Amino acid sequence: MGSAVAYFLKEMGFDGSVLVIERDCSYAQSSTALSASGIRQQFSNPLNVKISQFGAEFIKGAKDRWGVDLHLRENGYLYLANTPEGVQILSENHTMQVGEGADVVLMDPDALADKFPHLRLDDILLGSHGQSNEGWFDGVGLMQGLRTGTYISDEVVGIDMADGKVARVKLATGRAVECGVFVNAAGPRAALVAAMAGIDIPVEARKRTNFLFDCMDAPAGDLPLMIDPSGVWCRPEGKHFLTGCSPTCDPAVAFDDFEPRYAEFEDIIWPALAARSANFEAIKPIRFWAGHYAYNTLDQNAVIGPHTDISNFLFANGFSGHGLQQAPAVGRALAEWICFGEYRSLDFSPLGYERIVTNTPLLERCII
Ligand SMILES: Cc1cc2nc3c(=O)[nH]c(=O)nc-3n(C[C@H](O)[C@H](O)[C@H](O)COP(=O)(O)OP(=O)(O)OC[C@H]3O[C@@H](n4cnc5c(N)ncnc54)[C@H](O)[C@@H]3O)c2cc1C
């Protein structure tokens, strides 16, 4: 997010200086490096649909822009519903998504069986499949493309205020940096950084474990990222598959706790996948890792834009598992705010900090 803001500031010809402060330039534990790098149009909130539409356009444009192919595999997401409530949610979402121009189709069990013959569909009532602008891409490639301008390897450890505004940030090395505008792009550590300016933000580090698995009898075809009603998701990754789940127990974790939860594979993921497809009965994890969602406990949506009182403190926080695809639109929005004092391309004000102050959730029902 920090790189995305810096990139668009440069694109817009910002005449100030921009400094990205990064505590770990290896990015080894950043959410970005540990992400599943999916992009979808299937959200329940129209603004999130628009944000991802720009994300897809930007990712597809990387070849012309940077000479780099970010390998967007447009195999789509496939949501499956097995209850009347699930059908209602998919149907309501579909109406809104199509209204926003998203290329999403609803599929009854016969249509699903035709297109995805490897699935067991006895309990399934409806599927929803994104046919374009949806799939997965090279997330680290996107970050590398966005990295621009001046970076320093240091940690923000304090924020000095003057006249109700951020005046300077203090760094772990003892240096202090004056700033006209400060953007909090600290990922899962967003609340720590906000607290340095006396600001509360309901963002916690929540652990998600991803597993790469080998499949003895892999299903053929251009498979989508399937989201099973159990919350388990699975998609192809080269000749293997990538999978994960929404954990049943999901506490905030320490910022340095990256111990994978291997039991999720045995207890939740394998049983759900084996029940969904005979092809997934014989599978073996070959790599697994844990990363942190910057989880917004109010409404699982991003918090974007200026603080309500401290006008030069900007948020790019709380992405709750769907932030990588949002980086282009968020970077553009915050750069517009900094350069012009307003959003010009897409109005991000519904995602502003005011809803945190008034405790008014802007719910996103499609969280994976
Ligand atoms: C397992 C997993 C799967 C995911 N899958 C998807 C997906 O399929 N699609 C999708 O769109 N999103 C996905 N996400 C979410 C997505 O990865 C994040 O929303 C996005 O990468 C957030 O970017 P960020 O820049 O906010 O955070 P980060 O990438 O975490 O970057 C924050 C940076 O701030 C630095 N930092 C923190 N504190 C300080 C400080 N005090 N001083 C200096 N530097 C500091 C950190 O070192 C870090 O490099 C997933 C996340 C995880 C963990």
Side-chain angles (χ1 to χ4, degrees), residues 1 22-23 31-32 35-36 38 156 185 187 292 319 321-325:
M1 288 297 165
E22 172 53 60
R23 68 187 290 280
S31 302
T32 299
S35 171
V156 175
H292 290 170
F319 295 96
H322 50 271
L324 194 51
Q325 64 201 282

Side-chain angles (χ1 to χ4, degrees), residues 160-175:
D160 283 345
M161 309 287 293
D163 302 326
K165 287 184 160 191
V166 177
R168 72 190 66 75
V169 295
K170 292 188 281 198
L171 307 183
T173 51
R175 188 176 161 188

Side-chain angles (χ1 to χ4, degrees), residues 5-225:
V5 177
Y7 175 85
F8 279 96
L9 280 170
K10 187 169 174 217
E11 287 291 290
M12 285 174 207
F14 177 62
D15 59 4
S17 57
V18 181
L19 180 66
V20 182
I21 303 161
E22 172 53 60
R23 68 187 290 280
D24 175 13
C25 288
S26 79
Y27 297 104
Q29 295 184 333
S30 68
S31 302
T32 299
L34 299 170
S35 171
S37 301
I39 180 163
R40 60 193 160 108
Q41 316 292 301
Q42 296 190 65
F43 286 96
S44 69
N45 186 292
L47 182 52
N48 281 335
V49 178
K50 289 277 174 222
I51 290 172
S52 282
Q53 281 169 344
F54 179 64
E57 185 191 320
F58 189 83
I59 289 163
K60 285 179 180 177
K63 197 147 195 189
D64 288 342
R65 194 183 311 114
W66 300 325
V68 174
D69 188 347
L70 295 179
H71 299 286
L72 176 61
R73 295 265 315 262
E74 292 180 80
N75 290 22
Y77 278 45
L78 175 67
Y79 282 83
L80 297 175
N82 63 353
T83 61
E85 297 74 39
V87 167
Q88 194 182 339
I89 292 175
L90 287 190
S91 305
E92 286 172 9
N93 287 349
H94 178 256
T95 305
M96 179 278 291
Q97 289 155 1
V98 170
E100 295 298 331
D103 184 12
V104 179
V105 289
L106 293 180
M107 301 175 79
D108 64 20
D110 287 344
L112 287 167
D114 273 356
K115 198 163 167 82
F116 306 114
H118 66 292
L119 296 178
R120 287 192 181 113
L121 298 162
D122 329 355
D123 60 326
I124 295 300
L125 302 172
L126 192 69
S128 176
H129 183 224
Q131 304 192 113
S132 60
N133 286 336
E134 208 174 76
W136 49 95
F137 62 99
D138 176 357
V140 171
L142 173 64
M143 183 184 70
Q144 294 298 350
L146 289 170
R147 270 176 63 88
T148 186
T150 311
Y151 284 70
I152 54 168
S153 178
D154 212 326
E155 180 169 2
V156 175
V157 292
I159 296 179
D160 283 345
M161 309 287 293
D163 302 326
K165 287 184 160 191
V166 177
R168 72 190 66 75
V169 295
K170 292 188 281 198
L171 307 183
T173 51
R175 188 176 161 188
V177 182
E178 309 286 322
C179 59
V181 178
F182 176 77
V183 179
N184 181 358
R189 294 173 188 251
L192 271 185
V193 171
M196 296 173 197
I199 295 170
D200 279 334
I201 179 170
V203 173
E204 298 179 349
R206 300 277 185 100
K207 195 188 282 185
R208 292 293 179 274
T209 306
N210 283 356
F211 300 85
L212 191 69
F213 70 80
D214 190 30
C215 183
M216 219 163 77
D217 175 23
D222 276 338
L223 303 184
L225 186 151

